[in-house]
Amino acid sequence: MRKLLLSILAVLFIVGIANATSIPVGVDPKNYPAVWTEAVYNGSGSSITSGYIVQWDFDASTGDFADQCNWVKLNATDEGVWQAGVVPYGRNLADGDSGSIIVKGPAYALVGTAVVADQLVASNANGKISPFDGGANDETALGVAIRITSLATGAPDNGAAGANGWALIYVDPARYDEN
């Protein structure tokens, strides 16, 4: 009986790890934000601070599934198609560690170039949000700025409410082609 119990616990443990991606099923939209998160691994060589935008780093993925695993690194491409999501506020992603990123829903993000509410945003080459200009093919808008000033109680300090401050954005990456 004890072996059966241990076997069941082992299966539950493995299934729990395999289903680390989170798409909310039952939500309370009145009281809690519904965000989709993706389990990722940071093998970039440096830690990524919360509020920064990451990009997919499949090329660095190793092992039996080389180039297929959810590896990320700090986004270093202006409005690039590889933007993956935002490291959640208060949850830094250490180098060589697994964690989660927000791939859809509201998230606090660091501002690189001043943005305004209701504006499409994307990552700049430093992993912070900037206005999305959509001036070329093969670019991606990361989402839309919801609020820049007067962030809610418990929100990160928004500093000057512009560059180097915080903004609340709705993450929903969308590819853009000028043609």
Side-chain angles (χ1 to χ4, degrees):
M1 184 65 151
R2 184 175 176 167
K3 288 181 183 178
L4 178 63
L5 179 61
L6 290 175
S7 297
I8 291 171
L9 288 174
V11 168
L12 290 174
F13 179 73
I14 292 169
V15 170
I17 291 173
N19 294 316
T21 297
S22 170
I23 298 174
V25 177
V27 296
D28 179 3
K30 178 182 175 192
N31 297 307
Y32 300 101
V35 295
W36 294 20
T37 60
E38 184 67 46
V40 296
Y41 175 78
N42 178 10
S44 68
S46 60
S47 294
I48 303 171
T49 305
S50 69
Y52 276 90
I53 299 159
V54 295
Q55 70 183 49
W56 296 116
D57 192 18
F58 292 110
D59 290 342
S61 171
T62 61
D64 292 339
F65 298 98
D67 301 333
Q68 297 177 20
C69 296
N70 288 351
W71 287 39
V72 294
K73 62 183 177 181
L74 182 66
N75 192 76
T77 308
D78 227 9
E79 301 181 356
V81 295
W82 292 101
Q83 294 175 96
V86 178
V87 178
Y89 176 71
R91 297 184 185 161
N92 298 339
L93 186 55
D95 179 44
D97 203 0
S98 296
S100 294
I101 59 170
I102 296 172
V103 294
K104 185 172 179 129
Y108 289 113
L110 288 163
V111 178
T113 303
V115 296
V116 295
D118 301 327
Q119 180 177 37
L120 284 176
V121 295
S123 179
N124 65 15
N126 297 316
K128 296 180 178 181
I129 62 167
S130 294
F132 176 71
D133 66 19
N137 290 333
D138 299 325
E139 291 185 340
T140 298
L142 181 66
V144 63
I146 298 173
R147 177 169 279 189
I148 308 304
T149 59
S150 304
L151 296 178
T153 303
D157 177 13
N158 68 338
N164 300 316
W166 289 84
L168 181 60
I169 65 172
Y170 189 89
V171 178
D172 192 12
R175 188 163 181 255
Y176 173 85
D177 277 325
E178 192 172 70
N179 299 327

